[in-house]
Amino acid sequence: MTDSRLLGRGAVSIVFAAAVLVPGVASATSDAAEQSTLKLTVTESQKTRTVTLTCDPARGEHPRASDACAELQRVDGKFERLGQGEPKSCTKESRQVNASAEGTWRGQPVGYQVMLANPCTLKAATGSVFDF
């Protein structure tokens, strides 16, 4: 009977240890799902620049990662809402610029493309996100 009690206590200990570990695994999984990683590309005059931006926490190759992540957080990752309400005077020069974003925002797939008249209009429309 002593052996069965020890075996029973051992089983309870294993179940308890698993219960303690499972939330940690679930938390790590949800953190990964919440992370945002984006490949940002700008093409101007047949020259292409690409950087990686990761948010939550802000890092990557983007020179202003913290600013770019903060701006994306304000609009919940909706690129088309980035420059709304921030009027900016730009010249009417024609230096076509293309920008795109691919990756995930808080676990959701992202695909964004825009073509604008020049770099100033890109900055006005997207803030620091494509400013690299």
Side-chain angles (χ1 to χ4, degrees), residues 88-117:
K88 184 172 182 173
S89 297
C90 290
T91 63
K92 295 187 186 233
E93 72 178 302
S94 181
R95 280 182 29 209
Q96 185 177 338
V97 61
N98 297 307
S100 65
E102 295 177 6
T104 59
W105 178 258
R106 297 193 172 154
Q108 299 299 313
V110 169
Y112 173 79
Q113 291 183 337
V114 66
M115 182 187 337
L116 296 166

Side-chain angles (χ1 to χ4, degrees), residues 21-57:
L21 291 176
V22 169
V25 171
S27 175
T29 303
S30 66
D31 289 346
E34 290 294 314
Q35 192 173 62
S36 304
T37 302
L38 302 162
K39 177 179 147 186
L40 305 173
T41 304
V42 174
T43 303
E44 176 188 0
S45 302
Q46 298 180 0
K47 295 180 184 174
T48 301
R49 306 181 305 272
T50 301
V51 298
T52 301
L53 174 66
T54 301
C55 299
D56 302 319

Side-chain angles (χ1 to χ4, degrees), residues 4-22:
S4 64
R5 278 192 202 169
L6 288 176
L7 183 59
R9 286 183 181 163
V12 169
S13 297
I14 291 170
V15 170
F16 179 74
V20 170
L21 291 176
V22 169

